[in-house]
Amino acid sequence: MQADSLWTVSEDQFEPKRQNHAETVFTTGNGYLSTRGAMEEGYPGERRTTFISGVFDDIPISLTELANAPDWLELHLLLSGEVFRLDQGEILGFQRVLDLRTGLLRRSVRWRSPMGRTTRLEFERFSSLADPHLNILRVRVTPEDYAGTLEVHAGLNGDVDNEGFKHWEWLGQAAHNGSLWLHTRTRKTHIELGQAARLTLSGPAPIQGDGWDVHNHPTLVRRTALQPGQTAYVEKVVAVYTSRDVPQPLNAARAGLDPAVLPSPAWDHLWEPHAKAWEKEWAACDVTIEGDDEAQIAVRFSLYQLLIAAPRRDERVSIGAKTLSGYGYRGHAFWDTEIFMLPFFTYTRPEIARNLLSYRYHNLDGARKKARNNGFKGAQFPWESASTGEEVTPTWVPYFADPTKMVRIWTGDIEIHISAMICFALCQYWTATGDDEFMLQRGAEVFFEVARFWASRAEWNKSAERYEFRDVIGPDENHDHVDNNAFTNAFARWTLRTARRLLDWVEQRDPALAADYRARLQLDEAELTLWQKVAEKIYFAYDPSTGLVEQFEGYFQRRDIDLAAMEPRTESVQGLLGIEGANLVQVIKQPDVLMLAYLLPELFDERSLHANYDYYTARTDHTYGSSLGPSIQAIMACRLGRQEDAYEHFIRAARADLRDVRGNAGDGIHGASAGGVWQAVVFGFGGLRVNEKGWTVQPHLPAHWKRLTYRFKFRGQEQVIDLPGKGPFSSEEA
Ligand code: BGC
């Protein structure tokens, strides 16, 4: 099968120095688990990782992280007694190709061993999208210029760690009679993991084999002989279950490989349903761009990365800021999910969006606990979230510029807009899908509890006669401990008002349910009146004479520095000036007021939009600030008709991981940027706007794009927008 270049990402050289970046880019997975693109035989410095969604474990001191699962990938080849390794001998040919259309990772190698023997090797692997518990890899091995032996070692390695910390304890294993399994458990959270593997070797000559029952690393060995030009086929198929999925994960894994259900070799058997499942995914969400191959590939790459991180069958997990593809942020979920990634799912795969939103609903108790511990009412969602909804932001971390120093992280304490973001995402989902049932049964409760949090967190300023939110961090994290961040205040007001309207709606739709909410949550009239009072009197710093919104109180008094004069630079402004230094100047890490204008456009008129765009764009660290920024900046530029600006910001987002713009792609995919790329194409260039009444499209294509096609679902109906092309560019009602 010839891969289409607009559907692939590839590399033509083995580059140990950038292997961590390549591992992130070549991640394969199916939403249940993801495996970084490490090579089967393993290299020094690699970050060889498989993460299973929701499998968190604790580490000292009160931190929790996704646990790197025992390695299913491992495969060693001995060619006439010489170990196959690319860092020895000579590489005569090398190519790795990730087919985004099917999630297939292929590596083609021609290798001359230190003894001068040349072999051709074709590796392929995928994790099944049709049966998320099954993973498979195969290798075709062809000696070119020698007759010799091939020996294959395929293990399940439980001796893995998260950059030093070991999460797994051994429960049992076997490696005999062709059976290979490993049973382990996370140390603290006690999640059991069952893995079973089957190794097949076939070729023209007889096959021999045995097993090595090394503790915590059971391994199967197979041997055969090959003549020049003959090919041997090696296949390793691995089943993975955890006690989050079934009560007896080991039994389930072993049963999954029973030859009665999975013939040997298994590749073709697994491939067909897997490829079909991918075809269905892409049919629902593909975006095509003519006239810009780089953008085309980058968009598909972004969607691929989101799709392999998305929970299809589990509503108790979210998607971490680094998806399931790296150690960055320890697998924790941020507002990145609701505001940046979720719209893609809401509009193309609403069932997945529903799972992601349900995760927050199931974690309400954790959020209630956080509010209570901080002396507030209702639900305060954590800035960083893992499995329980309790706050998991580390309070101290090593300072990136000098790891011998520790830095206090305040986001978990005071970056409070996250709770409103969850409500916003709920509304967006509701508007797009019309899923009243979900809003009635789950969304409403989240909303009421968050509104109650805002009302109790607000402080009355007697002299100014207004409600305020003091000591917060807004989206722009260059400035912490600020008062009255406009974004936070506006979203507190929005949540309070929307929650009140929502309660009226529930009362109308289902009076018994409304009565139940009022009783169970003890929502009395006094509290509802407070919501209204707070909403009416929340301070919002808008200056009618200039149209500017002050990002927070006193922002305009911070020192204005000339960003252009700092060029050329390869570091963020915060990196150059230090945390304290950056706090004193106006440079922002990511859009804050503009983010507000994007999400709540009704707050800004045309003049104000232009004024804020000009003011804040000049003060934003676009290149090295947050990866969340460029896509939003691109959308706002589109809305203001600034096409060239828009493309410049968009392509910056599109390159974030493919080109490793910030030098940290090795830590995992920037999930928010990937989601932002979709939004920039659809809501920015593609001009889609949606509200309760319907949708409209006002395109702003970059001059060199010949055609853009995207699809989305509105109230269950699939819509395909083909630009430029004939309308109608709106739903009937809009
Ligand atoms: C950004 C946050 C973001 C977090 C995780 C930070 O650098 O400022 O907005 O939520 O990264 O991606």
Side-chain angles (χ1 to χ4, degrees), residues 321-322 329 332-336 340 383-384 411 415 417 474-478 589-590 625-628 670-672:
K322 299 285 184 181
Y329 293 123
H332 299 169
F334 296 63
W335 71 316
D336 304 38
F340 293 84
W383 178 246
E384 294 187 29
T411 50
E415 194 155 352
H417 63 82
D476 156 38
E477 293 176 348
N478 276 2
K589 181 178 171 186
Q590 63 206 87
S626 171
S627 64
L628 278 61
H670 293 83

PDB file of all heavy atoms in Angstrom, residues 321-322 329 332-336 340 383-384 411 415 417 474-478 589-590 625-628 670-672, ligand 1:
ATOM      1  N   ALA A 321      -2.849  17.678  29.156  1.00  0.00           N
ATOM      2  CA  ALA A 321      -2.334  18.778  28.330  1.00  0.00           C
ATOM      3  C   ALA A 321      -1.339  18.256  27.293  1.00  0.00           C
ATOM      4  O   ALA A 321      -1.200  18.814  26.210  1.00  0.00           O
ATOM      5  CB  ALA A 321      -1.674  19.831  29.209  1.00  0.00           C
ATOM      6  N   LYS A 322      -0.641  17.173  27.616  1.00  0.00           N
ATOM      7  CA  LYS A 322       0.311  16.584  26.655  1.00  0.00           C
ATOM      8  C   LYS A 322      -0.275  15.296  26.083  1.00  0.00           C
ATOM      9  O   LYS A 322       0.460  14.341  25.809  1.00  0.00           O
ATOM     10  CB  LYS A 322       1.636  16.287  27.359  1.00  0.00           C
ATOM     11  CG  LYS A 322       2.307  17.507  27.940  1.00  0.00           C
ATOM     12  CD  LYS A 322       2.943  18.350  26.867  1.00  0.00           C
ATOM     13  CE  LYS A 322       3.674  19.506  27.491  1.00  0.00           C
ATOM     14  NZ  LYS A 322       4.289  20.365  26.499  1.00  0.00           N
ATOM     15  N   TYR A 329       3.718  17.541  32.299  1.00  0.00           N
ATOM     16  CA  TYR A 329       2.549  17.772  33.168  1.00  0.00           C
ATOM     17  C   TYR A 329       1.962  16.485  33.735  1.00  0.00           C
ATOM     18  O   TYR A 329       0.803  16.444  34.137  1.00  0.00           O
ATOM     19  CB  TYR A 329       1.466  18.566  32.436  1.00  0.00           C
ATOM     20  CG  TYR A 329       1.865  19.982  32.104  1.00  0.00           C
ATOM     21  CD1 TYR A 329       1.844  20.435  30.795  1.00  0.00           C
ATOM     22  CD2 TYR A 329       2.256  20.864  33.105  1.00  0.00           C
ATOM     23  CE1 TYR A 329       2.210  21.734  30.487  1.00  0.00           C
ATOM     24  CE2 TYR A 329       2.614  22.168  32.799  1.00  0.00           C
ATOM     25  CZ  TYR A 329       2.592  22.598  31.488  1.00  0.00           C
ATOM     26  OH  TYR A 329       2.946  23.883  31.191  1.00  0.00           O
ATOM     27  N   HIS A 332      -1.701  15.304  33.540  1.00  0.00           N
ATOM     28  CA  HIS A 332      -2.811  16.055  34.125  1.00  0.00           C
ATOM     29  C   HIS A 332      -3.602  16.830  33.058  1.00  0.00           C
ATOM     30  O   HIS A 332      -3.032  17.306  32.080  1.00  0.00           O
ATOM     31  CB  HIS A 332      -2.297  17.065  35.157  1.00  0.00           C
ATOM     32  CG  HIS A 332      -1.584  16.418  36.312  1.00  0.00           C
ATOM     33  ND1 HIS A 332      -0.865  17.127  37.233  1.00  0.00           N
ATOM     34  CD2 HIS A 332      -1.491  15.115  36.692  1.00  0.00           C
ATOM     35  CE1 HIS A 332      -0.343  16.292  38.138  1.00  0.00           C
ATOM     36  NE2 HIS A 332      -0.714  15.062  37.811  1.00  0.00           N
ATOM     37  N   ALA A 333      -4.897  16.984  33.334  1.00  0.00           N
ATOM     38  CA  ALA A 333      -5.759  17.760  32.434  1.00  0.00           C
ATOM     39  C   ALA A 333      -5.919  19.183  32.964  1.00  0.00           C
ATOM     40  O   ALA A 333      -6.027  19.391  34.181  1.00  0.00           O
ATOM     41  CB  ALA A 333      -7.124  17.092  32.326  1.00  0.00           C
ATOM     42  N   PHE A 334      -5.937  20.144  32.060  1.00  0.00           N
ATOM     43  CA  PHE A 334      -6.075  21.565  32.375  1.00  0.00           C
ATOM     44  C   PHE A 334      -7.296  22.097  31.612  1.00  0.00           C
ATOM     45  O   PHE A 334      -8.029  21.337  30.987  1.00  0.00           O
ATOM     46  CB  PHE A 334      -4.858  22.357  31.890  1.00  0.00           C
ATOM     47  CG  PHE A 334      -3.535  22.032  32.532  1.00  0.00           C
ATOM     48  CD1 PHE A 334      -2.958  20.780  32.420  1.00  0.00           C
ATOM     49  CD2 PHE A 334      -2.829  23.013  33.215  1.00  0.00           C
ATOM     50  CE1 PHE A 334      -1.715  20.505  32.984  1.00  0.00           C
ATOM     51  CE2 PHE A 334      -1.590  22.746  33.784  1.00  0.00           C
ATOM     52  CZ  PHE A 334      -1.034  21.490  33.669  1.00  0.00           C
ATOM     53  N   TRP A 335      -7.432  23.433  31.569  1.00  0.00           N
ATOM     54  CA  TRP A 335      -8.486  24.019  30.724  1.00  0.00           C
ATOM     55  C   TRP A 335      -8.201  23.756  29.248  1.00  0.00           C
ATOM     56  O   TRP A 335      -9.058  23.943  28.397  1.00  0.00           O
ATOM     57  CB  TRP A 335      -8.646  25.514  31.010  1.00  0.00           C
ATOM     58  CG  TRP A 335      -7.514  26.411  30.536  1.00  0.00           C
ATOM     59  CD1 TRP A 335      -6.179  26.175  30.661  1.00  0.00           C
ATOM     60  CD2 TRP A 335      -7.629  27.669  29.871  1.00  0.00           C
ATOM     61  NE1 TRP A 335      -5.449  27.221  30.132  1.00  0.00           N
ATOM     62  CE2 TRP A 335      -6.309  28.156  29.648  1.00  0.00           C
ATOM     63  CE3 TRP A 335      -8.701  28.456  29.462  1.00  0.00           C
ATOM     64  CZ2 TRP A 335      -6.057  29.380  29.024  1.00  0.00           C
ATOM     65  CZ3 TRP A 335      -8.452  29.677  28.838  1.00  0.00           C
ATOM     66  CH2 TRP A 335      -7.141  30.115  28.629  1.00  0.00           C
ATOM     67  N   ASP A 336      -6.979  23.308  28.967  1.00  0.00           N
ATOM     68  CA  ASP A 336      -6.611  22.962  27.592  1.00  0.00           C
ATOM     69  C   ASP A 336      -7.657  22.024  26.982  1.00  0.00           C
ATOM     70  O   ASP A 336      -7.968  22.104  25.799  1.00  0.00           O
ATOM     71  CB  ASP A 336      -5.252  22.234  27.572  1.00  0.00           C
ATOM     72  CG  ASP A 336      -4.133  23.022  28.225  1.00  0.00           C
ATOM     73  OD1 ASP A 336      -4.402  23.678  29.244  1.00  0.00           O
ATOM     74  OD2 ASP A 336      -2.992  22.961  27.740  1.00  0.00           O
ATOM     75  N   PHE A 340      -9.661  24.192  24.369  1.00  0.00           N
ATOM     76  CA  PHE A 340      -8.868  24.058  23.142  1.00  0.00           C
ATOM     77  C   PHE A 340      -9.149  22.761  22.384  1.00  0.00           C
ATOM     78  O   PHE A 340      -9.285  22.773  21.170  1.00  0.00           O
ATOM     79  CB  PHE A 340      -7.378  24.189  23.482  1.00  0.00           C
ATOM     80  CG  PHE A 340      -7.022  25.571  23.950  1.00  0.00           C
ATOM     81  CD1 PHE A 340      -7.204  25.952  25.271  1.00  0.00           C
ATOM     82  CD2 PHE A 340      -6.556  26.508  23.045  1.00  0.00           C
ATOM     83  CE1 PHE A 340      -6.908  27.243  25.691  1.00  0.00           C
ATOM     84  CE2 PHE A 340      -6.247  27.800  23.455  1.00  0.00           C
ATOM     85  CZ  PHE A 340      -6.429  28.169  24.780  1.00  0.00           C
ATOM     86  N   TRP A 383      -7.032  23.229  38.993  1.00  0.00           N
ATOM     87  CA  TRP A 383      -6.307  23.731  37.820  1.00  0.00           C
ATOM     88  C   TRP A 383      -5.690  22.555  37.070  1.00  0.00           C
ATOM     89  O   TRP A 383      -5.745  22.471  35.860  1.00  0.00           O
ATOM     90  CB  TRP A 383      -5.244  24.753  38.238  1.00  0.00           C
ATOM     91  CG  TRP A 383      -4.466  25.243  37.063  1.00  0.00           C
ATOM     92  CD1 TRP A 383      -3.150  25.026  36.823  1.00  0.00           C
ATOM     93  CD2 TRP A 383      -4.967  25.977  35.949  1.00  0.00           C
ATOM     94  NE1 TRP A 383      -2.795  25.583  35.610  1.00  0.00           N
ATOM     95  CE2 TRP A 383      -3.899  26.178  35.057  1.00  0.00           C
ATOM     96  CE3 TRP A 383      -6.227  26.490  35.613  1.00  0.00           C
ATOM     97  CZ2 TRP A 383      -4.044  26.860  33.856  1.00  0.00           C
ATOM     98  CZ3 TRP A 383      -6.382  27.173  34.415  1.00  0.00           C
ATOM     99  CH2 TRP A 383      -5.293  27.347  33.551  1.00  0.00           C
ATOM    100  N   GLU A 384      -5.111  21.616  37.806  1.00  0.00           N
ATOM    101  CA  GLU A 384      -4.611  20.379  37.186  1.00  0.00           C
ATOM    102  C   GLU A 384      -5.406  19.222  37.783  1.00  0.00           C
ATOM    103  O   GLU A 384      -5.578  19.144  38.995  1.00  0.00           O
ATOM    104  CB  GLU A 384      -3.112  20.181  37.455  1.00  0.00           C
ATOM    105  CG  GLU A 384      -2.253  21.231  36.790  1.00  0.00           C
ATOM    106  CD  GLU A 384      -0.748  20.956  36.917  1.00  0.00           C
ATOM    107  OE1 GLU A 384      -0.341  19.800  37.003  1.00  0.00           O
ATOM    108  OE2 GLU A 384       0.006  21.960  36.914  1.00  0.00           O
ATOM    109  N   THR A 411      -0.631  28.357  40.457  1.00  0.00           N
ATOM    110  CA  THR A 411      -1.814  28.156  39.606  1.00  0.00           C
ATOM    111  C   THR A 411      -2.892  27.311  40.291  1.00  0.00           C
ATOM    112  O   THR A 411      -4.079  27.575  40.153  1.00  0.00           O
ATOM    113  CB  THR A 411      -1.408  27.504  38.273  1.00  0.00           C
ATOM    114  OG1 THR A 411      -0.606  26.357  38.568  1.00  0.00           O
ATOM    115  CG2 THR A 411      -0.605  28.446  37.408  1.00  0.00           C
ATOM    116  N   GLU A 415      -5.502  30.138  40.045  1.00  0.00           N
ATOM    117  CA  GLU A 415      -5.930  30.269  38.637  1.00  0.00           C
ATOM    118  C   GLU A 415      -7.329  29.664  38.553  1.00  0.00           C
ATOM    119  O   GLU A 415      -7.528  28.500  38.198  1.00  0.00           O
ATOM    120  CB  GLU A 415      -4.944  29.591  37.673  1.00  0.00           C
ATOM    121  CG  GLU A 415      -5.214  30.012  36.239  1.00  0.00           C
ATOM    122  CD  GLU A 415      -4.009  29.923  35.314  1.00  0.00           C
ATOM    123  OE1 GLU A 415      -2.883  29.679  35.762  1.00  0.00           O
ATOM    124  OE2 GLU A 415      -4.222  30.130  34.102  1.00  0.00           O
ATOM    125  N   HIS A 417     -10.162  30.472  36.856  1.00  0.00           N
ATOM    126  CA  HIS A 417     -11.129  30.539  35.747  1.00  0.00           C
ATOM    127  C   HIS A 417     -11.495  29.163  35.210  1.00  0.00           C
ATOM    128  O   HIS A 417     -12.510  29.000  34.553  1.00  0.00           O
ATOM    129  CB  HIS A 417     -10.618  31.473  34.639  1.00  0.00           C
ATOM    130  CG  HIS A 417      -9.348  31.045  33.979  1.00  0.00           C
ATOM    131  ND1 HIS A 417      -9.317  30.120  32.983  1.00  0.00           N
ATOM    132  CD2 HIS A 417      -8.064  31.433  34.162  1.00  0.00           C
ATOM    133  CE1 HIS A 417      -8.063  29.953  32.583  1.00  0.00           C
ATOM    134  NE2 HIS A 417      -7.282  30.741  33.284  1.00  0.00           N
ATOM    135  N   GLY A 474      -4.886  35.059  35.718  1.00  0.00           N
ATOM    136  CA  GLY A 474      -5.742  34.910  34.532  1.00  0.00           C
ATOM    137  C   GLY A 474      -5.063  33.974  33.546  1.00  0.00           C
ATOM    138  O   GLY A 474      -4.042  33.342  33.867  1.00  0.00           O
ATOM    139  N   PRO A 475      -5.570  33.886  32.325  1.00  0.00           N
ATOM    140  CA  PRO A 475      -4.920  33.023  31.336  1.00  0.00           C
ATOM    141  C   PRO A 475      -3.439  33.360  31.144  1.00  0.00           C
ATOM    142  O   PRO A 475      -2.621  32.471  30.955  1.00  0.00           O
ATOM    143  CB  PRO A 475      -5.720  33.292  30.067  1.00  0.00           C
ATOM    144  CG  PRO A 475      -7.082  33.658  30.566  1.00  0.00           C
ATOM    145  CD  PRO A 475      -6.842  34.430  31.837  1.00  0.00           C
ATOM    146  N   ASP A 476      -3.104  34.646  31.174  1.00  0.00           N
ATOM    147  CA  ASP A 476      -1.697  35.052  31.025  1.00  0.00           C
ATOM    148  C   ASP A 476      -0.959  34.808  32.336  1.00  0.00           C
ATOM    149  O   ASP A 476      -1.113  35.556  33.304  1.00  0.00           O
ATOM    150  CB  ASP A 476      -1.646  36.546  30.650  1.00  0.00           C
ATOM    151  CG  ASP A 476      -0.305  37.159  31.039  1.00  0.00           C
ATOM    152  OD1 ASP A 476       0.727  36.472  30.887  1.00  0.00           O
ATOM    153  OD2 ASP A 476      -0.307  38.323  31.506  1.00  0.00           O
ATOM    154  N   GLU A 477      -0.130  33.771  32.350  1.00  0.00           N
ATOM    155  CA  GLU A 477       0.533  33.394  33.601  1.00  0.00           C
ATOM    156  C   GLU A 477       1.833  34.158  33.862  1.00  0.00           C
ATOM    157  O   GLU A 477       2.513  33.888  34.848  1.00  0.00           O
ATOM    158  CB  GLU A 477       0.806  31.886  33.604  1.00  0.00           C
ATOM    159  CG  GLU A 477      -0.470  31.078  33.648  1.00  0.00           C
ATOM    160  CD  GLU A 477      -0.225  29.576  33.559  1.00  0.00           C
ATOM    161  OE1 GLU A 477       0.903  29.164  33.249  1.00  0.00           O
ATOM    162  OE2 GLU A 477      -1.190  28.821  33.786  1.00  0.00           O
ATOM    163  N   ASN A 478       2.172  35.103  32.979  1.00  0.00           N
ATOM    164  CA  ASN A 478       3.337  35.943  33.304  1.00  0.00           C
ATOM    165  C   ASN A 478       3.033  36.825  34.514  1.00  0.00           C
ATOM    166  O   ASN A 478       3.938  37.342  35.150  1.00  0.00           O
ATOM    167  CB  ASN A 478       3.707  36.858  32.128  1.00  0.00           C
ATOM    168  CG  ASN A 478       4.594  36.142  31.118  1.00  0.00           C
ATOM    169  OD1 ASN A 478       4.900  34.968  31.291  1.00  0.00           O
ATOM    170  ND2 ASN A 478       4.994  36.840  30.063  1.00  0.00           N
ATOM    171  N   LYS A 589       2.042  36.239  28.256  1.00  0.00           N
ATOM    172  CA  LYS A 589       2.451  34.920  27.776  1.00  0.00           C
ATOM    173  C   LYS A 589       1.494  34.393  26.714  1.00  0.00           C
ATOM    174  O   LYS A 589       1.875  33.622  25.845  1.00  0.00           O
ATOM    175  CB  LYS A 589       2.478  33.986  28.993  1.00  0.00           C
ATOM    176  CG  LYS A 589       2.911  32.569  28.734  1.00  0.00           C
ATOM    177  CD  LYS A 589       2.941  31.781  30.044  1.00  0.00           C
ATOM    178  CE  LYS A 589       3.160  30.308  29.820  1.00  0.00           C
ATOM    179  NZ  LYS A 589       3.043  29.532  31.053  1.00  0.00           N
ATOM    180  N   GLN A 590       0.235  34.805  26.812  1.00  0.00           N
ATOM    181  CA  GLN A 590      -0.769  34.298  25.879  1.00  0.00           C
ATOM    182  C   GLN A 590      -1.976  35.234  25.926  1.00  0.00           C
ATOM    183  O   GLN A 590      -2.159  35.967  26.895  1.00  0.00           O
ATOM    184  CB  GLN A 590      -1.181  32.883  26.248  1.00  0.00           C
ATOM    185  CG  GLN A 590      -1.848  32.745  27.601  1.00  0.00           C
ATOM    186  CD  GLN A 590      -1.653  31.356  28.181  1.00  0.00           C
ATOM    187  OE1 GLN A 590      -0.658  31.092  28.847  1.00  0.00           O
ATOM    188  NE2 GLN A 590      -2.584  30.459  27.934  1.00  0.00           N
ATOM    189  N   GLY A 625       6.108  32.289  24.105  1.00  0.00           N
ATOM    190  CA  GLY A 625       5.146  32.277  25.210  1.00  0.00           C
ATOM    191  C   GLY A 625       4.390  30.958  25.176  1.00  0.00           C
ATOM    192  O   GLY A 625       4.912  29.929  24.747  1.00  0.00           O
ATOM    193  N   SER A 626       3.143  30.986  25.581  1.00  0.00           N
ATOM    194  CA  SER A 626       2.385  29.736  25.656  1.00  0.00           C
ATOM    195  C   SER A 626       2.013  29.217  24.266  1.00  0.00           C
ATOM    196  O   SER A 626       1.648  29.982  23.377  1.00  0.00           O
ATOM    197  CB  SER A 626       1.107  29.963  26.456  1.00  0.00           C
ATOM    198  OG  SER A 626       0.287  28.835  26.344  1.00  0.00           O
ATOM    199  N   SER A 627       2.052  27.883  24.131  1.00  0.00           N
ATOM    200  CA  SER A 627       1.631  27.274  22.863  1.00  0.00           C
ATOM    201  C   SER A 627       0.118  27.401  22.683  1.00  0.00           C
ATOM    202  O   SER A 627      -0.410  27.081  21.624  1.00  0.00           O
ATOM    203  CB  SER A 627       2.019  25.798  22.847  1.00  0.00           C
ATOM    204  OG  SER A 627       1.306  25.115  23.861  1.00  0.00           O
ATOM    205  N   LEU A 628      -0.595  27.868  23.706  1.00  0.00           N
ATOM    206  CA  LEU A 628      -2.038  28.040  23.576  1.00  0.00           C
ATOM    207  C   LEU A 628      -2.378  29.317  22.811  1.00  0.00           C
ATOM    208  O   LEU A 628      -3.517  29.506  22.389  1.00  0.00           O
ATOM    209  CB  LEU A 628      -2.706  28.100  24.963  1.00  0.00           C
ATOM    210  CG  LEU A 628      -2.999  26.785  25.680  1.00  0.00           C
ATOM    211  CD1 LEU A 628      -1.733  26.003  25.956  1.00  0.00           C
ATOM    212  CD2 LEU A 628      -3.750  27.017  26.977  1.00  0.00           C
ATOM    213  N   HIS A 670       1.602  19.100  22.327  1.00  0.00           N
ATOM    214  CA  HIS A 670       0.884  20.234  22.899  1.00  0.00           C
ATOM    215  C   HIS A 670      -0.579  20.102  22.461  1.00  0.00           C
ATOM    216  O   HIS A 670      -0.974  20.585  21.388  1.00  0.00           O
ATOM    217  CB  HIS A 670       1.457  21.562  22.397  1.00  0.00           C
ATOM    218  CG  HIS A 670       2.851  21.833  22.894  1.00  0.00           C
ATOM    219  ND1 HIS A 670       3.978  21.315  22.286  1.00  0.00           N
ATOM    220  CD2 HIS A 670       3.292  22.568  23.944  1.00  0.00           C
ATOM    221  CE1 HIS A 670       5.056  21.731  22.950  1.00  0.00           C
ATOM    222  NE2 HIS A 670       4.668  22.486  23.956  1.00  0.00           N
ATOM    223  N   GLY A 671      -1.343  19.413  23.284  1.00  0.00           N
ATOM    224  CA  GLY A 671      -2.724  19.073  22.906  1.00  0.00           C
ATOM    225  C   GLY A 671      -3.574  20.301  22.622  1.00  0.00           C
ATOM    226  O   GLY A 671      -4.410  20.301  21.703  1.00  0.00           O
ATOM    227  N   ALA A 672      -3.369  21.370  23.407  1.00  0.00           N
ATOM    228  CA  ALA A 672      -4.178  22.568  23.210  1.00  0.00           C
ATOM    229  C   ALA A 672      -3.867  23.197  21.856  1.00  0.00           C
ATOM    230  O   ALA A 672      -4.757  23.689  21.157  1.00  0.00           O
ATOM    231  CB  ALA A 672      -3.919  23.567  24.328  1.00  0.00           C
TER     232      ALA A 672
HETATM  233  C1  BGC B   1      -0.219  27.714  30.012  1.00  0.00           C
HETATM  234  C2  BGC B   1      -1.597  27.301  30.520  1.00  0.00           C
HETATM  235  C3  BGC B   1      -1.836  25.871  30.142  1.00  0.00           C
HETATM  236  C4  BGC B   1      -0.730  24.971  30.645  1.00  0.00           C
HETATM  237  C5  BGC B   1      -0.870  23.541  30.175  1.00  0.00           C
HETATM  238  C6  BGC B   1       0.800  26.774  30.595  1.00  0.00           C
HETATM  239  O1  BGC B   1       2.076  27.087  30.112  1.00  0.00           O
HETATM  240  O2  BGC B   1       0.056  29.047  30.382  1.00  0.00           O
HETATM  241  O3  BGC B   1      -2.591  28.124  29.944  1.00  0.00           O
HETATM  242  O4  BGC B   1      -3.060  25.452  30.647  1.00  0.00           O
HETATM  243  O5  BGC B   1       0.507  25.454  30.181  1.00  0.00           O
HETATM  244  O6  BGC B   1      -0.752  23.482  28.785  1.00  0.00           O
END
